[in-house]
Amino acid sequence: MDEKIPLLARLRAGWKNPDKRARWIVILGAAGILLIFFSSIFGGREKAQPAETAGETTAAAYAASIRDELSEMIAKISGAGKTEVMVTLQNDGETLYAKEEQTERDSVQSAGESISERESRDEAYVMVDGTDGRSALVRTRMEPVIKGVVVVCEGGDDPVTASRIMDAVTTALAISSAKVCITKLA
């Protein structure tokens, strides 16, 4: 501890000298700039994804979730055995945004009995402040539409098992049997 006191005393004495103080300020400023520069190069490699990429990821996650749940459910059906499922989507879903509408109507009566009416309509999205800045207010988010389901399982060639699987898939997803294919696992 006795060694630190002379060092601190020397730093205080050097700080009182205007020439040395200016030199230390320049050195500390340059060190701060270098730290900021290196932190931008080596740190913070995560970047926010654009909204379109996030929508695509959501659709892919939705399809994966449906696939996993169907695989689990079908594997529990008697005679199905080992099961693999593929789910395809028709779209990425639909997002409806809240809008404000303003309508103005003007009626003008000219000399005589002719009346002219004019209507103007103005629509604008409702904007809200969020963590990523201003964005439109989401009113409804509709899930993606399922295009088709393929089920490949060990018991896919047995008509009774295939019928049970067909009933389970069409009921769970509320789709027609024309969108479901069931076959035997090779």
Side-chain angles (χ1 to χ4, degrees):
M1 190 130 204
D2 294 335
E3 296 172 3
K4 290 183 181 180
I5 294 173
L7 177 63
L8 288 174
R10 284 189 311 199
L11 287 174
R12 273 193 209 126
W15 189 254
K16 291 180 181 178
N17 183 344
D19 292 333
K20 289 184 179 180
R21 185 180 326 152
R23 186 181 311 149
W24 276 107
I25 290 174
V26 169
I27 291 171
L28 290 174
I33 291 170
L34 286 174
L35 284 174
I36 292 171
F37 176 73
F38 285 126
S39 70
S40 68
I41 290 175
F42 297 114
R45 296 214 178 239
E46 297 176 22
K47 294 186 179 179
Q49 294 184 352
E52 292 137 17
T53 307
E56 292 170 7
T57 304
T58 302
Y62 178 75
S65 170
I66 296 293
R67 181 192 67 230
D68 294 344
E69 289 176 9
L70 282 176
S71 294
E72 222 175 278
M73 178 186 65
I74 293 168
K76 293 177 183 176
I77 293 176
S78 175
K82 183 179 174 189
T83 305
E84 293 184 26
V85 177
M86 182 176 103
V87 176
T88 57
L89 302 176
Q90 185 172 338
N91 59 21
D92 291 337
E94 185 177 356
T95 304
L96 301 175
Y97 297 99
K99 292 182 183 179
E100 288 180 324
E101 294 182 15
Q102 292 181 346
T103 305
E104 289 184 26
R105 292 184 182 158
D106 292 332
S107 298
V108 178
Q109 186 173 8
S110 59
E113 295 183 23
S114 64
I115 298 175
S116 64
E117 291 187 16
R118 186 182 63 158
E119 181 176 299
S120 64
R121 184 179 261 172
D122 187 26
E123 290 183 352
Y125 289 107
V126 176
M127 303 298 285
V128 293
D129 292 327
T131 56
D132 298 332
R134 291 183 57 83
S135 61
L137 178 64
V138 175
R139 185 178 62 155
T140 305
R141 170 81 180 138
M142 298 171 69
E143 297 296 335
V145 175
I146 296 175
K147 187 184 223 179
V149 177
V150 176
V151 178
V152 181
C153 62
E154 291 175 338
D157 61 342
D158 178 31
V160 174
T161 302
S163 175
R164 288 181 185 148
I165 293 170
M166 180 69 73
D167 290 343
V169 172
T170 57
T171 302
L173 300 178
I175 59 176
S176 75
S177 59
K179 294 184 176 186
V180 181
C181 174
I182 302 169
T183 188
K184 182 171 177 55
L185 182 66

